[in-house]
Structures are given as C-alpha cells and as structure tokens.
Amino acid sequence: MKSKYWLGLWLAAVLLLFFCNGSLLVTDSVESNYALTAKEMVVSGDWLSPQIYGRYWYDKPIMFYWLTALGFKLFGFTEFGARLFPAVFGLAGLGLVCWGGRRLYDERVGFYSGVALLSSVEFFLISKSVITDAVLFFFFSATLLFFYLGYRDGKAADWYVMYVSAALAVLTKGPVGVLLPGLIITLFLLWRRDWRVLTRCRLFSGTALLALVAAPWYVFMYHQHGMDFINTFFGVHNFLRASVSEHPKDDVIYYYALVNLLAFFPWSGLLPAMVRSYCGEDGWEIKPQEGFLMLWAVVVFVFFQCMATKYITYTYPLLFPASLLIGKLLAEKGERCFTKGYCFFLEAFFVLLLGAAWYVQDKGIVPITELFLLPLSLIVGLLFFVILFFNGRRAMGVGAVCLMFYLGLTAGLAVPLSEMRSAKGLGLLLRDKQIETACVYGAYPTSAVFYSDSRLLKLLYQKDEAAYLPKNNSWSSKNVMPYTLWENNSCRWIIARAKDSDGLAKQGCAKRKLAGQAGQWQLWRS
C-alpha cells in the first residue's frame, strides 16, 4: 500500500476520534459514574481504592479509573480530559488490528482491516465514550492475537506479551479478561487437537508474570476492604451480572444479532460474502488462521448471549477478528465485493438514519439544531466516494462516506444529545450559587455532582429505605448515592426535573420558590 493511503487512514482516525471531544458533555448515568470516581481519586489522593460520593466503590477494577484520572491531571476536570484515553486506546486498537493484519497476512490485509474497523459504527461510538470498553478491546485483542502468533511462530516474546495483555485486561474489566480468552484458546486447541502447545507456551513463567501484574491490586483491595470487596466486586458485578438480568427487557435471543448488525455497519453487509468465501465445493475449507478468528468472534457472541445481563458494548471485542476477516476479503476480492445488493444495503441504511434523525427532531425527542450537517456530511462523503470509486478504491470510498457522516453525526446529533443527557448546567448553577448541599427528588443527576462538587442527597420515604439500602448479592448494592428521608428533611434546596415539578408540589413543597433552572432541571428554595 502506498504511504499516502496509510497517512490518510491515520489522519482520518485522529480527526474522528478527537473531533468535538471537548464539547461532548459527561452524560448520565454511566459516563458520570466513571468520571466522578476518577475525579474523587485525584481529589482524595487515593489512587488504589476507587470512591464515589465519598464511599468505596467496587464496580470495576482500577485500570480505567487510573487512565481517566490521568486525563484529568493533564487537562483538568474537563470533557476532553475524560475522553482522552478512550480516544487514545481507540487509536491503539486500530494500530493493533493493522499490525495484526500485516503479521497474519500482509500489508494490504492490515490496511483494509484498519479501514473496516475505523469506519464501523461501534468503534466510532466507543472510542468517544467514557467507558471501559475501548481499553478492554485493546488488551483483550492483544491477548488473543499474541496467543495465535506464539502458537504459529513459537516466539517467546509473543507468549509473554499475551500474558501481560491478559493481566491488564483483568485490571480493566475483571475475571472475564482472562476467562473468556482462555475459553476461546481452549476451544481452538480442542478443534486442532494440539495440546503440545502447552509445553512450549511458557505456561508457568507466563502465569507467574500474569499474576505479578494483575494480582497486587486485588490483594491490596482484599487486605484493605475484606469481604465487602469480594462480595460486591465478584458477587454482584461478575456473578450476579451473569446470572440475574439487570435489564430483563433486553434478555432476548435476538438482542446481539441486531446489535452487531448495527455495530459492524457498513461491513455487516459483507458478512454473507465472507462466509461464502470459506465454502468450497466440498463444504467448509477453513485454515487454522481463519478458523481461530471465526471461533474468536463466534465465542464472544455466544458467551454474552448466554449471560443474563446484556449491554450493547459487551460483544464489542468480536469486531477485532471480524475486521481482520473482512480486511482479508477486501484485499483478495476488492471490487467484486461491492455488489448491487451490498450497495442497496448501504443506501437504505443511510436513508434510515437520516429519517430517524429528522423524526427525533420533528417530535422534539432530541433538540437537533444543526440537522443540515447530517445530509451535508453525507453529500461530502459521497463526493469522496465518487473520486475513490473511479480510482478503483471502493473500500476506501465506503470508509470516507462513513467518516464524513460520523463527523456530521457528532456535531449535529451527539453534542446536543449529550447536553440533553447531562446535568452540567445544573452543576454550574449549583456552583454559581455556592450551594454545598441539596436534595434530589426523582432521577439522581450524578453529572451535576461531577461538575459542581456539591453534595446531593436523594430523597426517600422511610418506608422505602430498607429496600434502597445496599445488600450483598443484590442489584441494590449499586445504590451508593447519599440519601435523606422526607420525614427528616430540612433541606433548603431541592432539585427536580421540570416534568416532576407537579409531583414535587404534592409532597408538600408547593410554597417553595423557583431559584433557577438549567435545561430540564429546576432548583427550588424554601
């Protein structure tokens, strides 16, 4: 591949992953939990025991909190600081898939694998979100990629990189960082009937290295916090998450099929062609390399489909092997991949997205003030596609269309959506009025705590207190927000959403005066 194509790929990646990161507000409820925990880590000086609302918090291991806290140390408690390392690890994951394609195949496969990953919907979304998945994606993928390189080439360095990567995955997400790669590796060895690899994979020294990297933080947490850490981190956030659905409505058999159809767009339309490419006249003809990549993707999909709790981001790691397989298909078949059916799939999807954007603006669901950016970005992308099309670079053209559309989507939809789902305005209002403590009626705005440093107390009735208090092996263990009882409430300030103001009045607060409003949030004073 010409150097200008590689340069274009990396310039596009940097532009996409850092564009508007300083304008995307920290949103509730997921991003604000990570941001507030990292902020308290910096403020308290305790970089080992995560805290939120001044209480120890055992939701995730330490790695992502460290990275987010480092972003805050570099850029202050800002949106850009919060989104710095998701973007950095997005670039790292892109670099790993390009490098992996070159090691497994050749430079063309590495390049097209990078194009496939960079232009996929989920890569774009996760690399701009304050969540753990971009970091996990890198370490999880490195674990399995270096396993196969060690298996194929027998180099000691590859094996040791695998063990260190697994350890860092465990520090990012917990036991799944080593158990799921271990399951994939075990199934691969069962398929190949090649257990001799265990004698040359540096099993004992590598396991010791893994433990040396991953275990100290877990040992420290158990030493400092005892069974409270074990019961909450392992009992709730690992075992309970797998066995009891946190969101029962999502526990349906087709959930991840629909998720991944969107997640790997625009390349999900080529999956049937990829499957057919491995079907010969005598049936399946799968070489170990492709077999390992396919097994990797399928096991991730099936594993999380079997888990009780389902999140859109859980199957994100399968995009790595999927990108490599699609990259190989594009490198080998090129223009023959772009059939009329695939082009219709692309056109229909973009029309659907534009229609959905118009609908949410028309119905006032999301206040899109710059809706014209979406069709404009699509038109600019199509111009790039036409240029690349006549130069025989259709895959790059598809990537260019997606890149331009994602930029328009970021400025035109993601920024106003983040403003809608964040309580930054409320936080600044609390800061301006120098309010140290306020009570919250209804939904709890963690992002307001992040932006204000105020102490917000959730209002409960005494009859609901017992159900709210955290319990072992229960989802109630996530109820760590400070609270106060209506019966004992003497709080001067009460926060509520505008749509909840009538309910607030019925609680005997009709005589309170409206002291300020920020978006959907109202501040009432006695």
Side-chain angles (χ1 to χ4, degrees):
M1 297 301 297
K2 295 180 180 179
S3 58
K4 66 179 181 180
Y5 294 135
W6 282 107
L7 178 61
L9 177 70
W10 286 108
L11 288 177
V14 171
L15 174 62
L16 179 64
L17 299 191
F18 287 93
F19 179 66
C20 281
N21 280 9
S23 301
L24 290 165
L25 306 188
V26 174
T27 63
D28 289 315
S29 60
V30 178
E31 289 189 331
S32 54
N33 283 331
Y34 288 115
L36 181 57
T37 302
K39 181 178 181 178
E40 292 194 24
M41 180 177 286
V42 174
V43 172
S44 69
D46 185 348
W47 287 67
L48 291 174
S49 297
Q51 300 177 54
I52 191 169
Y53 313 114
R55 297 181 55 173
Y56 292 118
W57 175 236
Y58 311 124
D59 181 45
K60 293 292 185 296
I62 198 67
M63 177 62 71
F64 188 69
Y65 297 130
W66 276 342
L67 293 171
T68 309
L70 179 57
F72 289 151
K73 292 287 285 185
L74 293 173
F75 295 98
F77 299 121
T78 62
E79 293 84 4
F80 188 86
R83 300 185 191 280
L84 174 64
F85 281 99
V88 168
F89 272 86
L91 291 175
L94 178 65
L96 186 65
V97 82
C98 293
W99 182 84
R102 293 180 67 167
R103 281 288 303 268
L104 295 175
Y105 299 103
D106 55 38
E107 185 180 15
R108 281 178 57 82
V109 174
F111 177 81
Y112 283 113
S113 298
V115 170
L117 182 62
L118 176 62
S119 53
S120 64
V121 168
E122 194 167 24
F123 176 81
F124 152 67
L125 292 175
I126 285 181
S127 298
K128 298 183 81 69
S129 300
V130 190
I131 52 179
T132 60
D133 295 270
V135 181
L136 177 67
F137 179 84
F138 177 78
F139 293 129
F140 186 99
S141 302
T143 300
L144 288 166
L145 175 62
F146 280 94
F147 159 77
Y148 189 80
L149 292 174
Y151 173 83
R152 188 190 69 178
D153 302 336
K155 295 181 180 179
D158 291 331
W159 292 118
Y160 287 124
V161 173
M162 176 193 76
Y163 289 112
V164 172
S165 299
L168 295 174
V170 171
L171 285 174
T172 302
K173 200 75 170 184
V176 72
V178 69
L179 294 180
L180 185 51
L183 174 62
I184 294 168
I185 291 169
T186 301
L187 292 175
F188 174 73
L189 296 179
L190 278 171
W191 172 50
R192 299 300 300 166
R193 299 179 182 178
D194 185 4
W195 299 103
R196 290 174 299 175
V197 69
L198 298 178
T199 64
R200 60 179 189 273
C201 70
R202 308 299 195 274
L203 184 61
F204 296 107
S205 59
T207 302
L209 179 61
L210 188 156
L212 183 65
V213 175
W217 179 78
Y218 286 92
V219 172
F220 168 82
M221 289 296 288
Y222 175 70
H223 180 265
Q224 289 292 110
H225 308 287
M227 290 306 297
D228 190 27
F229 168 69
I230 299 296
N231 291 334
T232 304
F233 179 79
F234 291 101
V236 174
H237 296 290
N238 286 274
F239 178 76
L240 190 68
R241 195 176 295 274
S243 58
V244 179
S245 180
E246 188 178 1
H247 310 104
K249 65 181 177 63
D250 294 332
D251 194 12
V252 291
I253 195 168
Y254 55 82
Y255 181 82
Y256 284 122
L258 294 178
V259 164
N260 286 284
L261 183 66
L262 173 62
F264 199 41
F265 177 84
W267 309 105
S268 49
L270 290 180
L271 291 178
M274 185 196 75
V275 173
R276 287 196 301 271
S277 70
Y278 295 108
C279 294
E281 295 180 358
D282 300 323
W284 289 95
E285 296 178 357
I286 304 178
K287 297 178 181 179
Q289 200 153 274
E290 288 75 37
F292 178 71
L293 295 173
M294 295 177 72
L295 183 68
W296 176 348
V298 170
V299 171
V300 169
F301 181 91
V302 174
F303 179 85
F304 286 110
Q305 182 61 49
C306 293
M307 297 296 102
T309 297
K310 292 177 172 58
Y311 280 105
I312 290 175
T313 60
Y314 277 178
T315 56
Y316 180 47
L318 69 78
L319 259 64
F320 192 93
S323 297
L324 288 170
L325 291 168
I326 290 294
K328 179 175 182 290
L329 181 72
L330 293 171
E332 290 179 348
K333 297 198 172 183
E335 308 307 303
R336 289 176 290 166
C337 296
F338 298 91
T339 62
K340 291 181 179 180
Y342 175 69
C343 293
F344 176 78
F345 169 77
L346 291 181
E347 293 167 3
F349 194 89
F350 280 119
V351 169
L352 182 64
L353 286 179
L354 288 174
W358 175 84
Y359 177 82
V360 298
Q361 184 204 42
D362 184 62
K363 297 297 182 181
I365 299 173
V366 179
I368 308 176
T369 58
E370 309 293 345
L371 183 62
F372 74 93
L373 289 174
L374 299 184
L376 177 62
S377 63
L378 193 54
I379 291 170
V380 174
L382 288 172
L383 292 176
F384 279 110
F385 176 79
V386 170
I387 295 171
L388 291 166
F389 177 89
F390 286 109
N391 281 279
R393 303 294 180 183
R394 294 187 185 183
M396 296 184 203
V398 172
V401 173
C402 292
L403 170 67
M404 298 309 301
F405 189 76
Y406 296 156
L407 293 175
L409 198 67
T410 301
L413 181 60
V415 170
L417 184 60
S418 74
E419 293 169 352
M420 179 179 168
R421 299 193 60 181
S422 176
K424 179 177 181 178
L426 173 62
L428 298 180
L429 179 63
L430 294 170
R431 179 180 291 181
D432 290 343
K433 292 184 175 294
Q434 299 182 338
I435 297 174
E436 295 182 0
T437 304
C439 295
V440 178
Y441 173 74
Y444 190 93
T446 301
S447 57
V449 182
F450 171 77
Y451 284 111
S452 69
D453 296 326
S454 298
R455 186 167 185 260
L456 303 186
L457 305 175
K458 184 175 179 65
L459 283 164
L460 297 175
Y461 282 106
Q462 191 168 17
K463 62 183 179 63
D464 299 323
E465 182 180 16
Y468 177 81
L469 292 174
K471 304 174 185 64
N472 288 336
N473 298 317
S474 166
W475 287 118
S476 63
S477 65
K478 299 181 73 173
N479 297 336
V480 294
M481 296 86 77
Y483 71 94
T484 187
L485 300 177
W486 276 105
E487 290 81 356
N488 302 329
N489 178 41
S490 59
C491 191
R492 181 184 180 190
W493 304 95
I494 291 185
I495 294 166
R497 292 176 297 183
K499 67 178 183 179
D500 296 329
S501 58
D502 291 341
L504 181 62
K506 293 177 182 179
Q507 308 302 320
C509 301
K511 295 183 179 180
R512 288 181 176 266
K513 296 180 180 179
L514 184 63
Q517 183 163 350
Q520 64 177 322
W521 295 97
Q522 294 179 333
L523 178 65
W524 296 85
R525 182 183 63 194
S526 60

